Amino acid sequence: MSPLFPALAARSRRPALRFGDRTLTHAELADAAGSLARRLTGERRVAVWATPTLGTAVGVVAALLAGVPVVPVNPRSGEKELAHIVADSAPSLVIAEPGVALPPALAALERVDATADVTGTGTGDAGEAGSGDGTGAFPEPPPEAPALIVYTSGTTGPPKGAVLPRRALTATLDALEDAWQWTADDILVHALPLFHVHGLILGILGPLRRGGSVTHLGRFDTAGVARELSSGATMLFGVPTMYHRIAETLADDPALAEALAGARLLVSGSAPLPVHDHRRIAAATGRRVVERYGMTETLMNTSVRADGEPRAGTVGVPLRGVELRLVDEAGAAIEAYDGESVGEIQVRGPNLFTEYLNRPEATEAAFTDGWFRTGDMAIRDPDGSVRIVGRKATDLIKSGGYKIGAGEIENVLLEHPGVREAAVTGEPDPDLGERIVAWIVPARPEAPPTEKELADHVAGQLSAHKRPRTVRYLDALPRNDMGKIMKRSLHG
Ligand code: MCA
Ligand code: AMP
């Protein structure tokens, strides 16, 4: 097997990673990650406290070199979510920045600082002088070996760990090289979290595999995007919320418009980019944002190609190696490319996960005849472009590009003493795409829990991004004769 990161093995002296004022070349990263990888070799599984920092990137690369599966953990995970992830994935060690207080679920594990051996200057000076034997000492594990376990929400129950093998990473990143003409000369800028596929696999491992570089902003703001794109960065990855904020800012910010106009590629994904934002960005910058469509379990499935026609409102065509079909309600494949027949997207290919960790029934239920059921509904245009028109499950919410299960939030709300009944829905939101709304029947109507109390409760148990942004109080939830909550009538 060829290595996951050829530029590390080649000890390239070009910049690889930049976080704030800390930069590492590929050679320096090879030394830092190589040294840590020796320490990690033989571990069963490592958790990474995935703050948007250099240590997270070095830690993940080191574990991948050592062939130890990585579980990236949202550093804003609440108690219940974290306890579940740790119990389910059973890491033998945790990688975290020094100085960060880890919650009890992780504090019991042995802890390693990924930046302890970082000596790089980012100039390449330390690259050749580096004493380590770099990455050569680590044989590439087999293609089916698990690389990452990424937790993703379903409609009900706690998040499931999608086991992503090494071949899925290489297949998806190499298919994107083809679709985006992504090269070692590209400098990516992004501000995505590092505990999901978008920010970590595409945004960090992608540039490293290409031998190019990535600048992470730490947190998203349009000024940072403008600064980096006007000083050498060539590509931007973002979720639609970020492009919406860019679109809102453009009219009053000529420097941002100029910076975007100079970029080679602007890519949006994780949720639909509204055509209105597409148009505003195109009008102000002359640039078309390219949309790609993926999922934690499948990595990337389709993209508008860099060398293709701009196709606002579509997620482009299947990537190299990806088989995609639309299936109607009766389970029959739709052959038409007619721009109107709607079916569920099902995919097959080397980009897919192998299983949900410890969940054989869930894994089996996710497939039909070897095809993975995405739950996304789409049509196909005559030119082959896929247009996503909705989602099968109304209990899945996409807010800010995060997938959030309504059931998970309802369960936690019901644990609050002030809540008698709870239902969670997603409502259209111009910034977040969808906003989480909690419908609450208070235990004591005369003293209902406040909106903030409930938001803090959910953030503390699950994650900050899963907190309700709006709370609506009711005397009773609408139920059918069977006692099932009729969510569709909540908004009416
Ligand atoms: C607010 N905060 C709280 C609370 N309220 N913390 C604890 N308890 C509370 N009650 C904090 C937040 O943590 C945050 O801290 C700050 O207040 C603002 O948070 P928030 O309002 O949530 O931020 P936002 O404005 O909603 O964030 C927008 C965003 C974010 C930056 C676009 O949604 C985002 O990063 N999205 C990316 C999602 C993503 O990567 N998805 C990929 C998965 P602070 O201010 O310190 O930050 S999908 C995927 O991977 C597939 C494969 C695909 O296709 O891509
Ligand atoms: P996640 O499980 O967090 O990986 O989210 C995957 C889901 O995000 C997909 O099933 C889609 O519903 C959605 N998604 C990702 N990219 C796009 C896109 N470009 N347009 C519309 N939806 C998208």
Side-chain angles (χ1 to χ4, degrees):
M1 268 289 281
S2 58
L4 201 46
F5 305 115
L8 291 193
R11 302 190 59 78
S12 153
R13 300 183 67 179
R14 302 164 71 122
L17 298 171
R18 182 153 75 86
F19 286 79
D21 57 5
R22 306 183 83 182
T23 302
L24 289 184
T25 65
H26 290 270
E28 290 163 347
L29 176 60
D31 288 337
S35 160
L36 178 59
R38 275 187 287 282
R39 163 71 191 80
L40 299 179
T41 299
E43 293 291 340
R44 213 166 62 84
R45 215 171 262 160
V46 302
V48 175
W49 190 246
T51 49
T53 55
L54 184 68
T56 295
V58 174
V60 171
V61 171
L64 290 173
L65 282 178
V68 179
V70 183
V71 185
V73 178
N74 175 359
R76 285 221 170 82
S77 292
E79 265 175 57
K80 195 181 169 101
E81 182 168 291
L82 188 67
H84 163 68
I85 291 173
V86 173
D88 191 52
S89 64
S92 50
L93 182 148
V94 57
I95 295 175
E97 282 175 277
V100 172
L102 291 178
L106 283 171
L109 296 178
E110 185 185 348
R111 173 175 176 159
V112 171
D113 167 19
T115 51
D117 293 320
V118 170
T119 52
T121 59
T123 59
D125 294 348
E128 285 185 336
S131 56
D133 53 4
T135 63
F138 303 99
E140 177 61 24
E144 292 304 318
L148 287 155
I149 297 159
V150 179
Y151 279 81
T152 181
S153 290
T155 50
T156 56
K160 302 188 285 281
V163 179
L164 300 167
R166 298 176 86 92
R167 55 104 180 120
L169 270 55
T170 54
T172 228
L173 294 176
D174 295 351
L176 293 178
E177 172 190 34
D178 168 60
W180 297 342
Q181 302 171 349
W182 192 352
T183 73
D185 291 329
D186 279 306
I187 302 174
L188 172 69
V189 56
H190 83 81
L192 294 154
L194 299 188
F195 46 87
H196 277 308
V197 166
H198 195 170
L200 182 61
I201 299 186
L202 271 57
I204 299 289
L205 305 184
L208 295 181
R209 181 158 174 84
R210 294 281 72 79
S213 82
V214 52
T215 297
H216 195 284
L217 295 176
R219 60 183 305 150
F220 176 79
D221 71 347
T222 55
V225 169
R227 186 187 64 238
E228 296 306 327
L229 287 179
S230 57
S231 52
T234 62
M235 298 167 92
L236 171 68
F237 290 177
V239 291
T241 301
M242 295 173 180
Y243 284 101
H244 175 76
R245 293 179 187 179
I246 286 172
E248 292 281 286
T249 313
L250 275 172
D252 304 320
D253 190 344
L256 177 62
E258 200 178 318
L260 289 172
R264 188 180 78 74
L265 203 65
L266 309 173
V267 187
S268 174
S270 303
L273 179 65
V275 172
H276 175 60
D277 288 329
H278 254 293
R279 291 213 177 108
R280 289 196 293 172
I281 293 171
T285 68
R287 302 310 308 265
R288 311 275 174 173
V289 178
V290 160
E291 269 201 271
R292 75 358 170 234
Y293 157 65
M295 213 172 160
T296 303
E297 292 90 334
T298 65
L299 304 186
M300 295 304 113
N301 295 312
T302 70
S303 183
V304 173
R305 295 183 61 91
D307 57 1
E309 286 290 303
R311 303 284 289 148
T314 90
V315 294
V317 293
L319 290 167
R320 189 180 64 195
V322 178
E323 288 179 84
L324 182 149
R325 66 177 192 180
L326 298 186
V327 175
D328 68 18
E329 276 182 13
I334 297 171
E335 304 299 337
Y337 287 72
D338 58 2
E340 61 182 27
S341 304
V342 178
E344 182 191 15
I345 301 177
Q346 298 186 350
V347 290
R348 225 165 41 173
N351 51 312
L352 264 59
F353 74 139
T354 33
E355 58 169 348
Y356 293 116
L357 189 67
N358 307 323
R359 302 288 302 274
E361 320 77 37
T363 307
E364 202 188 323
F367 288 88
T368 175
D369 308 329
W371 292 81
F372 177 76
R373 308 136 84 113
T374 65
D376 293 308
M377 305 301 290
I379 57 181
R380 265 178 319 205
D381 286 345
D383 72 355
S385 296
V386 176
R387 230 173 247 281
I388 296 177
V389 295
R391 202 180 299 127
K392 257 187 159 168
T394 48
D395 275 348
L396 280 181
I397 301 165
K398 264 270 159 169
S399 187
Y402 288 111
K403 181 152 96 178
I404 301 160
E408 207 189 337
I409 305 177
E410 288 159 1
N411 290 340
V412 163
L413 286 170
L414 287 169
E415 287 168 9
H416 189 283
V419 174
R420 191 168 62 196
E421 291 186 82
V424 166
T425 60
E427 263 180 20
D429 183 278
D431 181 47
L432 295 170
E434 287 179 288
R435 139 183 93 240
I436 297 171
V437 179
W439 304 79
I440 296 294
V441 178
R444 289 172 53 224
E446 69 286 4
T450 64
E451 203 166 282
K452 177 166 185 321
E453 213 177 317
L454 294 174
D456 288 348
H457 173 68
V458 174
Q461 291 298 312
L462 298 179
S463 271
H465 65 261
K466 295 182 179 174
R467 72 191 190 277
R469 309 279 175 142
T470 304
V471 178
R472 303 223 170 90
Y473 300 90
L474 300 172
D475 296 333
L477 293 179
R479 291 182 187 271
N480 65 15
D481 294 344
M482 310 292 291
K484 189 172 170 334
I485 299 169
M486 296 189 295
K487 289 200 179 176
R488 285 184 201 279
S489 61
L490 278 170
H491 294 279

PDB file of all heavy atoms in Angstrom, residues 236-267:
ATOM      1  N   LEU A 236     -11.317  27.902  -0.355  1.00  0.00           N
ATOM      2  CA  LEU A 236     -12.065  28.066   0.896  1.00  0.00           C
ATOM      3  C   LEU A 236     -13.072  26.933   1.004  1.00  0.00           C
ATOM      4  O   LEU A 236     -13.797  26.657   0.044  1.00  0.00           O
ATOM      5  CB  LEU A 236     -12.799  29.417   0.889  1.00  0.00           C
ATOM      6  CG  LEU A 236     -13.791  29.667   2.025  1.00  0.00           C
ATOM      7  CD1 LEU A 236     -13.072  29.806   3.372  1.00  0.00           C
ATOM      8  CD2 LEU A 236     -14.602  30.946   1.755  1.00  0.00           C
ATOM      9  N   PHE A 237     -13.103  26.271   2.152  1.00  0.00           N
ATOM     10  CA  PHE A 237     -14.154  25.286   2.444  1.00  0.00           C
ATOM     11  C   PHE A 237     -15.047  25.876   3.534  1.00  0.00           C
ATOM     12  O   PHE A 237     -14.531  26.374   4.535  1.00  0.00           O
ATOM     13  CB  PHE A 237     -13.583  23.974   3.004  1.00  0.00           C
ATOM     14  CG  PHE A 237     -12.807  23.128   2.036  1.00  0.00           C
ATOM     15  CD1 PHE A 237     -12.205  21.956   2.484  1.00  0.00           C
ATOM     16  CD2 PHE A 237     -12.670  23.460   0.698  1.00  0.00           C
ATOM     17  CE1 PHE A 237     -11.478  21.147   1.621  1.00  0.00           C
ATOM     18  CE2 PHE A 237     -11.947  22.665  -0.180  1.00  0.00           C
ATOM     19  CZ  PHE A 237     -11.349  21.500   0.290  1.00  0.00           C
ATOM     20  N   GLY A 238     -16.357  25.764   3.359  1.00  0.00           N
ATOM     21  CA  GLY A 238     -17.249  26.248   4.409  1.00  0.00           C
ATOM     22  C   GLY A 238     -18.597  25.573   4.355  1.00  0.00           C
ATOM     23  O   GLY A 238     -18.954  24.915   3.374  1.00  0.00           O
ATOM     24  N   VAL A 239     -19.347  25.743   5.435  1.00  0.00           N
ATOM     25  CA  VAL A 239     -20.753  25.311   5.448  1.00  0.00           C
ATOM     26  C   VAL A 239     -21.587  26.499   4.970  1.00  0.00           C
ATOM     27  O   VAL A 239     -21.124  27.644   4.983  1.00  0.00           O
ATOM     28  CB  VAL A 239     -21.195  24.842   6.851  1.00  0.00           C
ATOM     29  CG1 VAL A 239     -20.501  23.538   7.228  1.00  0.00           C
ATOM     30  CG2 VAL A 239     -20.960  25.907   7.910  1.00  0.00           C
ATOM     31  N   PRO A 240     -22.841  26.245   4.533  1.00  0.00           N
ATOM     32  CA  PRO A 240     -23.661  27.337   4.004  1.00  0.00           C
ATOM     33  C   PRO A 240     -23.817  28.521   4.964  1.00  0.00           C
ATOM     34  O   PRO A 240     -23.880  29.665   4.513  1.00  0.00           O
ATOM     35  CB  PRO A 240     -25.003  26.648   3.721  1.00  0.00           C
ATOM     36  CG  PRO A 240     -24.614  25.236   3.398  1.00  0.00           C
ATOM     37  CD  PRO A 240     -23.474  24.924   4.318  1.00  0.00           C
ATOM     38  N   THR A 241     -23.855  28.254   6.267  1.00  0.00           N
ATOM     39  CA  THR A 241     -23.959  29.369   7.225  1.00  0.00           C
ATOM     40  C   THR A 241     -22.795  30.347   7.031  1.00  0.00           C
ATOM     41  O   THR A 241     -22.964  31.565   7.111  1.00  0.00           O
ATOM     42  CB  THR A 241     -23.979  28.827   8.670  1.00  0.00           C
ATOM     43  OG1 THR A 241     -25.101  27.953   8.803  1.00  0.00           O
ATOM     44  CG2 THR A 241     -24.064  29.941   9.696  1.00  0.00           C
ATOM     45  N   MET A 242     -21.622  29.821   6.787  1.00  0.00           N
ATOM     46  CA  MET A 242     -20.452  30.685   6.570  1.00  0.00           C
ATOM     47  C   MET A 242     -20.604  31.481   5.268  1.00  0.00           C
ATOM     48  O   MET A 242     -20.323  32.680   5.229  1.00  0.00           O
ATOM     49  CB  MET A 242     -19.173  29.851   6.561  1.00  0.00           C
ATOM     50  CG  MET A 242     -18.898  29.199   7.919  1.00  0.00           C
ATOM     51  SD  MET A 242     -17.507  28.042   7.850  1.00  0.00           S
ATOM     52  CE  MET A 242     -17.478  27.473   9.569  1.00  0.00           C
ATOM     53  N   TYR A 243     -21.064  30.805   4.207  1.00  0.00           N
ATOM     54  CA  TYR A 243     -21.261  31.533   2.944  1.00  0.00           C
ATOM     55  C   TYR A 243     -22.394  32.547   3.065  1.00  0.00           C
ATOM     56  O   TYR A 243     -22.351  33.615   2.448  1.00  0.00           O
ATOM     57  CB  TYR A 243     -21.493  30.549   1.783  1.00  0.00           C
ATOM     58  CG  TYR A 243     -20.198  29.889   1.358  1.00  0.00           C
ATOM     59  CD1 TYR A 243     -19.877  28.600   1.753  1.00  0.00           C
ATOM     60  CD2 TYR A 243     -19.258  30.592   0.597  1.00  0.00           C
ATOM     61  CE1 TYR A 243     -18.674  28.011   1.393  1.00  0.00           C
ATOM     62  CE2 TYR A 243     -18.050  30.021   0.233  1.00  0.00           C
ATOM     63  CZ  TYR A 243     -17.762  28.730   0.632  1.00  0.00           C
ATOM     64  OH  TYR A 243     -16.552  28.159   0.280  1.00  0.00           O
ATOM     65  N   HIS A 244     -23.391  32.224   3.880  1.00  0.00           N
ATOM     66  CA  HIS A 244     -24.469  33.192   4.105  1.00  0.00           C
ATOM     67  C   HIS A 244     -23.912  34.444   4.785  1.00  0.00           C
ATOM     68  O   HIS A 244     -24.224  35.573   4.398  1.00  0.00           O
ATOM     69  CB  HIS A 244     -25.561  32.560   4.969  1.00  0.00           C
ATOM     70  CG  HIS A 244     -26.646  33.510   5.353  1.00  0.00           C
ATOM     71  ND1 HIS A 244     -27.633  33.907   4.473  1.00  0.00           N
ATOM     72  CD2 HIS A 244     -26.877  34.199   6.508  1.00  0.00           C
ATOM     73  CE1 HIS A 244     -28.426  34.783   5.075  1.00  0.00           C
ATOM     74  NE2 HIS A 244     -27.992  34.962   6.303  1.00  0.00           N
ATOM     75  N   ARG A 245     -23.057  34.235   5.778  1.00  0.00           N
ATOM     76  CA  ARG A 245     -22.470  35.388   6.482  1.00  0.00           C
ATOM     77  C   ARG A 245     -21.555  36.172   5.547  1.00  0.00           C
ATOM     78  O   ARG A 245     -21.482  37.398   5.611  1.00  0.00           O
ATOM     79  CB  ARG A 245     -21.743  34.909   7.740  1.00  0.00           C
ATOM     80  CG  ARG A 245     -22.750  34.366   8.757  1.00  0.00           C
ATOM     81  CD  ARG A 245     -22.112  33.843  10.017  1.00  0.00           C
ATOM     82  NE  ARG A 245     -23.143  33.210  10.843  1.00  0.00           N
ATOM     83  CZ  ARG A 245     -22.924  32.634  12.010  1.00  0.00           C
ATOM     84  NH1 ARG A 245     -21.697  32.611  12.517  1.00  0.00           N
ATOM     85  NH2 ARG A 245     -23.916  32.087  12.679  1.00  0.00           N
ATOM     86  N   ILE A 246     -20.862  35.467   4.654  1.00  0.00           N
ATOM     87  CA  ILE A 246     -20.041  36.149   3.643  1.00  0.00           C
ATOM     88  C   ILE A 246     -20.955  36.972   2.730  1.00  0.00           C
ATOM     89  O   ILE A 246     -20.685  38.152   2.465  1.00  0.00           O
ATOM     90  CB  ILE A 246     -19.218  35.119   2.841  1.00  0.00           C
ATOM     91  CG1 ILE A 246     -18.068  34.597   3.705  1.00  0.00           C
ATOM     92  CG2 ILE A 246     -18.701  35.710   1.531  1.00  0.00           C
ATOM     93  CD1 ILE A 246     -17.301  33.427   3.105  1.00  0.00           C
ATOM     94  N   ALA A 247     -22.044  36.359   2.270  1.00  0.00           N
ATOM     95  CA  ALA A 247     -22.964  37.056   1.361  1.00  0.00           C
ATOM     96  C   ALA A 247     -23.540  38.310   2.020  1.00  0.00           C
ATOM     97  O   ALA A 247     -23.683  39.354   1.383  1.00  0.00           O
ATOM     98  CB  ALA A 247     -24.087  36.119   0.921  1.00  0.00           C
ATOM     99  N   GLU A 248     -23.833  38.207   3.302  1.00  0.00           N
ATOM    100  CA  GLU A 248     -24.385  39.355   4.040  1.00  0.00           C
ATOM    101  C   GLU A 248     -23.369  40.488   4.153  1.00  0.00           C
ATOM    102  O   GLU A 248     -23.724  41.656   4.180  1.00  0.00           O
ATOM    103  CB  GLU A 248     -24.755  38.924   5.472  1.00  0.00           C
ATOM    104  CG  GLU A 248     -25.912  37.961   5.554  1.00  0.00           C
ATOM    105  CD  GLU A 248     -27.256  38.666   5.422  1.00  0.00           C
ATOM    106  OE1 GLU A 248     -27.656  39.333   6.384  1.00  0.00           O
ATOM    107  OE2 GLU A 248     -27.872  38.565   4.344  1.00  0.00           O
ATOM    108  N   THR A 249     -22.095  40.125   4.246  1.00  0.00           N
ATOM    109  CA  THR A 249     -21.041  41.107   4.485  1.00  0.00           C
ATOM    110  C   THR A 249     -20.543  41.755   3.206  1.00  0.00           C
ATOM    111  O   THR A 249     -20.037  42.892   3.217  1.00  0.00           O
ATOM    112  CB  THR A 249     -19.843  40.407   5.191  1.00  0.00           C
ATOM    113  OG1 THR A 249     -20.359  39.617   6.261  1.00  0.00           O
ATOM    114  CG2 THR A 249     -18.842  41.394   5.749  1.00  0.00           C
ATOM    115  N   LEU A 250     -20.675  41.028   2.077  1.00  0.00           N
ATOM    116  CA  LEU A 250     -20.023  41.459   0.831  1.00  0.00           C
ATOM    117  C   LEU A 250     -20.348  42.879   0.392  1.00  0.00           C
ATOM    118  O   LEU A 250     -19.451  43.618  -0.042  1.00  0.00           O
ATOM    119  CB  LEU A 250     -20.406  40.489  -0.298  1.00  0.00           C
ATOM    120  CG  LEU A 250     -19.546  39.230  -0.398  1.00  0.00           C
ATOM    121  CD1 LEU A 250     -20.149  38.278  -1.415  1.00  0.00           C
ATOM    122  CD2 LEU A 250     -18.120  39.590  -0.773  1.00  0.00           C
ATOM    123  N   ALA A 251     -21.630  43.250   0.530  1.00  0.00           N
ATOM    124  CA  ALA A 251     -22.052  44.540  -0.003  1.00  0.00           C
ATOM    125  C   ALA A 251     -21.249  45.692   0.614  1.00  0.00           C
ATOM    126  O   ALA A 251     -20.945  46.676  -0.064  1.00  0.00           O
ATOM    127  CB  ALA A 251     -23.540  44.734   0.246  1.00  0.00           C
ATOM    128  N   ASP A 252     -20.886  45.531   1.894  1.00  0.00           N
ATOM    129  CA  ASP A 252     -20.167  46.614   2.580  1.00  0.00           C
ATOM    130  C   ASP A 252     -18.687  46.342   2.735  1.00  0.00           C
ATOM    131  O   ASP A 252     -18.017  47.005   3.516  1.00  0.00           O
ATOM    132  CB  ASP A 252     -20.756  46.795   3.996  1.00  0.00           C
ATOM    133  CG  ASP A 252     -22.241  47.049   3.927  1.00  0.00           C
ATOM    134  OD1 ASP A 252     -22.650  47.798   3.024  1.00  0.00           O
ATOM    135  OD2 ASP A 252     -22.968  46.455   4.755  1.00  0.00           O
ATOM    136  N   ASP A 253     -18.184  45.341   2.046  1.00  0.00           N
ATOM    137  CA  ASP A 253     -16.800  44.960   2.296  1.00  0.00           C
ATOM    138  C   ASP A 253     -16.089  44.644   0.980  1.00  0.00           C
ATOM    139  O   ASP A 253     -15.938  43.480   0.597  1.00  0.00           O
ATOM    140  CB  ASP A 253     -16.797  43.743   3.243  1.00  0.00           C
ATOM    141  CG  ASP A 253     -15.415  43.416   3.762  1.00  0.00           C
ATOM    142  OD1 ASP A 253     -14.419  43.913   3.189  1.00  0.00           O
ATOM    143  OD2 ASP A 253     -15.325  42.643   4.728  1.00  0.00           O
ATOM    144  N   PRO A 254     -15.627  45.680   0.275  1.00  0.00           N
ATOM    145  CA  PRO A 254     -14.990  45.442  -1.024  1.00  0.00           C
ATOM    146  C   PRO A 254     -13.750  44.561  -0.917  1.00  0.00           C
ATOM    147  O   PRO A 254     -13.448  43.797  -1.837  1.00  0.00           O
ATOM    148  CB  PRO A 254     -14.606  46.854  -1.505  1.00  0.00           C
ATOM    149  CG  PRO A 254     -15.061  47.817  -0.473  1.00  0.00           C
ATOM    150  CD  PRO A 254     -15.729  47.093   0.645  1.00  0.00           C
ATOM    151  N   ALA A 255     -13.052  44.618   0.228  1.00  0.00           N
ATOM    152  CA  ALA A 255     -11.839  43.791   0.373  1.00  0.00           C
ATOM    153  C   ALA A 255     -12.210  42.314   0.388  1.00  0.00           C
ATOM    154  O   ALA A 255     -11.495  41.480  -0.184  1.00  0.00           O
ATOM    155  CB  ALA A 255     -11.103  44.161   1.661  1.00  0.00           C
ATOM    156  N   LEU A 256     -13.333  41.988   1.013  1.00  0.00           N
ATOM    157  CA  LEU A 256     -13.781  40.590   1.045  1.00  0.00           C
ATOM    158  C   LEU A 256     -14.154  40.144  -0.369  1.00  0.00           C
ATOM    159  O   LEU A 256     -13.786  39.049  -0.808  1.00  0.00           O
ATOM    160  CB  LEU A 256     -14.980  40.444   1.997  1.00  0.00           C
ATOM    161  CG  LEU A 256     -15.608  39.057   2.098  1.00  0.00           C
ATOM    162  CD1 LEU A 256     -14.608  38.019   2.629  1.00  0.00           C
ATOM    163  CD2 LEU A 256     -16.847  39.082   3.010  1.00  0.00           C
ATOM    164  N   ALA A 257     -14.871  41.020  -1.092  1.00  0.00           N
ATOM    165  CA  ALA A 257     -15.274  40.680  -2.465  1.00  0.00           C
ATOM    166  C   ALA A 257     -14.039  40.448  -3.334  1.00  0.00           C
ATOM    167  O   ALA A 257     -13.977  39.479  -4.106  1.00  0.00           O
ATOM    168  CB  ALA A 257     -16.145  41.794  -3.045  1.00  0.00           C
ATOM    169  N   GLU A 258     -13.045  41.293  -3.179  1.00  0.00           N
ATOM    170  CA  GLU A 258     -11.829  41.155  -3.983  1.00  0.00           C
ATOM    171  C   GLU A 258     -11.082  39.870  -3.633  1.00  0.00           C
ATOM    172  O   GLU A 258     -10.573  39.169  -4.510  1.00  0.00           O
ATOM    173  CB  GLU A 258     -10.927  42.364  -3.711  1.00  0.00           C
ATOM    174  CG  GLU A 258      -9.911  42.592  -4.791  1.00  0.00           C
ATOM    175  CD  GLU A 258      -9.094  43.847  -4.478  1.00  0.00           C
ATOM    176  OE1 GLU A 258      -9.693  44.867  -4.039  1.00  0.00           O
ATOM    177  OE2 GLU A 258      -7.874  43.779  -4.632  1.00  0.00           O
ATOM    178  N   ALA A 259     -11.031  39.578  -2.345  1.00  0.00           N
ATOM    179  CA  ALA A 259     -10.332  38.361  -1.911  1.00  0.00           C
ATOM    180  C   ALA A 259     -11.016  37.116  -2.484  1.00  0.00           C
ATOM    181  O   ALA A 259     -10.349  36.206  -3.001  1.00  0.00           O
ATOM    182  CB  ALA A 259     -10.299  38.299  -0.387  1.00  0.00           C
ATOM    183  N   LEU A 260     -12.339  37.075  -2.419  1.00  0.00           N
ATOM    184  CA  LEU A 260     -13.063  35.909  -2.949  1.00  0.00           C
ATOM    185  C   LEU A 260     -12.896  35.815  -4.459  1.00  0.00           C
ATOM    186  O   LEU A 260     -12.765  34.724  -5.028  1.00  0.00           O
ATOM    187  CB  LEU A 260     -14.553  35.993  -2.608  1.00  0.00           C
ATOM    188  CG  LEU A 260     -14.924  35.789  -1.138  1.00  0.00           C
ATOM    189  CD1 LEU A 260     -16.390  36.098  -0.927  1.00  0.00           C
ATOM    190  CD2 LEU A 260     -14.631  34.372  -0.688  1.00  0.00           C
ATOM    191  N   ALA A 261     -12.886  36.985  -5.118  1.00  0.00           N
ATOM    192  CA  ALA A 261     -12.747  37.004  -6.578  1.00  0.00           C
ATOM    193  C   ALA A 261     -11.423  36.381  -7.002  1.00  0.00           C
ATOM    194  O   ALA A 261     -11.322  35.774  -8.065  1.00  0.00           O
ATOM    195  CB  ALA A 261     -12.861  38.434  -7.094  1.00  0.00           C
ATOM    196  N   GLY A 262     -10.416  36.497  -6.139  1.00  0.00           N
ATOM    197  CA  GLY A 262      -9.089  35.975  -6.488  1.00  0.00           C
ATOM    198  C   GLY A 262      -8.884  34.510  -6.143  1.00  0.00           C
ATOM    199  O   GLY A 262      -7.844  33.931  -6.470  1.00  0.00           O
ATOM    200  N   ALA A 263      -9.849  33.901  -5.472  1.00  0.00           N
ATOM    201  CA  ALA A 263      -9.660  32.504  -5.052  1.00  0.00           C
ATOM    202  C   ALA A 263      -9.771  31.571  -6.254  1.00  0.00           C
ATOM    203  O   ALA A 263     -10.450  31.881  -7.231  1.00  0.00           O
ATOM    204  CB  ALA A 263     -10.705  32.119  -4.018  1.00  0.00           C
ATOM    205  N   ARG A 264      -9.104  30.421  -6.174  1.00  0.00           N
ATOM    206  CA  ARG A 264      -9.255  29.439  -7.245  1.00  0.00           C
ATOM    207  C   ARG A 264     -10.557  28.672  -7.099  1.00  0.00           C
ATOM    208  O   ARG A 264     -11.237  28.386  -8.078  1.00  0.00           O
ATOM    209  CB  ARG A 264      -8.067  28.449  -7.226  1.00  0.00           C
ATOM    210  CG  ARG A 264      -8.054  27.512  -8.417  1.00  0.00           C
ATOM    211  CD  ARG A 264      -6.898  26.539  -8.391  1.00  0.00           C
ATOM    212  NE  ARG A 264      -7.091  25.424  -7.476  1.00  0.00           N
ATOM    213  CZ  ARG A 264      -7.911  24.393  -7.692  1.00  0.00           C
ATOM    214  NH1 ARG A 264      -8.627  24.343  -8.796  1.00  0.00           N
ATOM    215  NH2 ARG A 264      -8.013  23.408  -6.807  1.00  0.00           N
ATOM    216  N   LEU A 265     -10.913  28.331  -5.867  1.00  0.00           N
ATOM    217  CA  LEU A 265     -12.095  27.495  -5.659  1.00  0.00           C
ATOM    218  C   LEU A 265     -12.756  27.791  -4.321  1.00  0.00           C
ATOM    219  O   LEU A 265     -12.086  27.805  -3.284  1.00  0.00           O
ATOM    220  CB  LEU A 265     -11.664  26.023  -5.696  1.00  0.00           C
ATOM    221  CG  LEU A 265     -12.717  24.986  -6.033  1.00  0.00           C
ATOM    222  CD1 LEU A 265     -13.240  25.156  -7.458  1.00  0.00           C
ATOM    223  CD2 LEU A 265     -12.133  23.581  -5.863  1.00  0.00           C
ATOM    224  N   LEU A 266     -14.064  28.031  -4.365  1.00  0.00           N
ATOM    225  CA  LEU A 266     -14.859  28.226  -3.148  1.00  0.00           C
ATOM    226  C   LEU A 266     -15.790  27.031  -3.056  1.00  0.00           C
ATOM    227  O   LEU A 266     -16.590  26.805  -3.965  1.00  0.00           O
ATOM    228  CB  LEU A 266     -15.674  29.519  -3.239  1.00  0.00           C
ATOM    229  CG  LEU A 266     -14.909  30.792  -3.625  1.00  0.00           C
ATOM    230  CD1 LEU A 266     -15.882  31.957  -3.853  1.00  0.00           C
ATOM    231  CD2 LEU A 266     -13.904  31.150  -2.530  1.00  0.00           C
ATOM    232  N   VAL A 267     -15.691  26.260  -1.982  1.00  0.00           N
ATOM    233  CA  VAL A 267     -16.484  25.032  -1.882  1.00  0.00           C
ATOM    234  C   VAL A 267     -17.414  25.094  -0.684  1.00  0.00           C
ATOM    235  O   VAL A 267     -16.998  25.452   0.417  1.00  0.00           O
ATOM    236  CB  VAL A 267     -15.589  23.777  -1.748  1.00  0.00           C
ATOM    237  CG1 VAL A 267     -16.437  22.518  -1.808  1.00  0.00           C
ATOM    238  CG2 VAL A 267     -14.508  23.742  -2.810  1.00  0.00           C
TER     239      VAL A 267
END
